[in-house]
Each structure stands twice: as C-alpha cells, then as structure tokens.
Amino acid sequence: MSGSDRQGVADPIVFDDFLKVDVRVGEVVDAQPFPEARKPAYRLAIDFGPGIGVKKSSAQITKHYTLAELVGRKVAAVVNFPPRQIGPFMSEVLTLGFPDDAGEVVLVGVDREVPVGGRLF
C-alpha cells in the first residue's frame, strides 16, 4: 500500500524521519469563525510557550467544537511545516485530529496537565 492510502498503514520510515516532524502541545488562546473558508472551519491562535510563541491555525473542527469551548483547550500541532495560505488567512501550524465514523475531526489532546511547548516523543 502507498503512504498516501489513508486506510492502510503508511510506508515505513526510520526514526530520524519521525524526529523531523515537530509536534508540540499548545493552548488555544483565541478562536474565531472563518466564514471565508471553503469548508467550515475556525481560525485559532495557539500559544506554544516562550520558545515558539503564539501561532495561527485554520481547523475544520466545527462539527464537534464550539468557539467558546476551544479557548483554554490543549491541542497538538505540527509546528515546523511552512505556513499555508488558506483563503485570506495564513495558517502557521497544523492542528492534529483523528476522523470519527463520519469523517469529522476529533482533536488530539492530552489527558493530564502538561506545559505548553512540550514536544511529542
């Protein structure tokens, strides 16, 4: 199966490839509607702490989350992808989630208190 096949397991990688993807925990400090997006989405501002700062992300998470419940929530995001233009908005990080049975995004989170900016290992 190809690495692009979302149903199968991706092609094998070596540990050094995994280390190239910088996944950090951050806290959502602001969440706004994003009516200009092609698919329903929110604009998020996520604080990753003093080493990285606050970064922007567009997230298609409108089915399971309200704007109010997102603020203060810890999320996981890839922080070392190049910024991506999404309509009039520049998304700086990729907020991570898994699809539910209907294909809607469920955010990746942590189940204990951790400091913002912590790196996934």
Side-chain angles (χ1 to χ4, degrees), residues 64-65 95-101 103-109:
H64 292 300
Y65 305 95
T95 305
L96 299 175
F98 292 105
D100 66 9
D101 287 339
E104 300 295 339
V105 178
V106 175
L107 289 170
V108 171

Side-chain angles (χ1 to χ4, degrees), residues 9 21-22 29 44 59 74 78 86 94 98 100 103:
V9 175
V21 181
D22 193 351
V29 294
L44 306 178
K74 297 273 176 65
V78 176
I86 301 175
L94 175 64
F98 292 105
D100 66 9

Side-chain angles (χ1 to χ4, degrees), residues 6-71:
R6 291 181 182 239
Q7 297 301 317
V9 175
D11 295 334
I13 62 171
V14 296
F15 189 70
D16 286 345
D17 290 336
F18 169 74
L19 292 175
K20 292 176 185 176
V21 181
D22 193 351
V23 177
R24 304 284 180 130
V25 64
E27 183 175 331
V28 177
V29 294
D30 190 38
Q32 298 295 323
F34 189 10
E36 304 90 353
R38 273 187 267 145
K39 295 182 180 179
Y42 294 141
R43 293 179 305 189
L44 306 178
I46 306 168
D47 181 10
F48 293 96
I52 299 170
V54 176
K55 299 291 183 181
K56 299 180 290 183
S57 182
S58 170
Q60 295 174 4
I61 55 175
T62 59
K63 293 291 182 189
H64 292 300
Y65 305 95
T66 65
L67 294 169
E69 72 182 301
L70 288 167
V71 176

Side-chain angles (χ1 to χ4, degrees), residues 56-59 81-86 89-94:
K56 299 180 290 183
S57 182
S58 170
F81 283 152
R84 182 173 174 198
Q85 189 76 43
I86 301 175
F89 184 74
M90 185 64 73
S91 188
E92 300 173 299
V93 298
L94 175 64

